Amino acid sequence: VRRRAGHPVPIRLWRRSILATVMFSDIVSSTERAAEVGDRRWRHELDRHDELVRAELKAHGGREIKTTGDGFLALFDAPARAIRCAVAIRDRLRAVGLEVRIGLHSGEVELRGNDVGGIAVNLGARVAETGSEGDVVVSSTVRDLVAGSGITFADRGEHALKGVPDRWRLFAVADPVPR
């Protein structure tokens, strides 16, 4: 508890940032898919996508922040849960004919009402952009935090991420992922 003018202030009133794992998902080649199937069917596919992603977020303790048109931004309090959720999302969407790429990064996230911001969020987006169809890509921070979980990774090397200082070592989640 902090004090303001000599009075205690509950944590919920002064906490403006949290440590979290950020997940960005993105349907691969969504514009091409929309052009191929037409607006009505694409809208149906997006609705199905949203339904499946939300079900997995709920099952894995994720918090939806917002949709990004053809993807999601979500937060998790544990990186292993975020990885398991990402893999489940990828697999469920693949089963209905949609391919995604998903990126994860853990860091301090700034709370902005119902939205989030800060460099950790930007990093999560940039990590996701490096992925290809079916990839779940994580920063070295996430990989280090899940040591001992049994989750394995393929090294993707160092990357310069647009707008972010330094080079970042990235990893792809290797299948299978232990439950």
Side-chain angles (χ1 to χ4, degrees), residues 163-176:
V164 180
D166 303 320
R167 294 183 61 78
W168 291 79
R169 184 162 296 279
L170 303 180
F171 299 84
V173 175
D175 289 324

Side-chain angles (χ1 to χ4, degrees), residues 35-50:
E36 176 186 319
V37 301
D39 288 342
R40 179 175 291 157
R41 183 163 169 208
W42 180 241
R43 186 174 56 249
H44 173 73
E45 288 185 14
L46 281 177
D47 289 344
R48 183 70 176 137
H49 163 271
D50 293 356

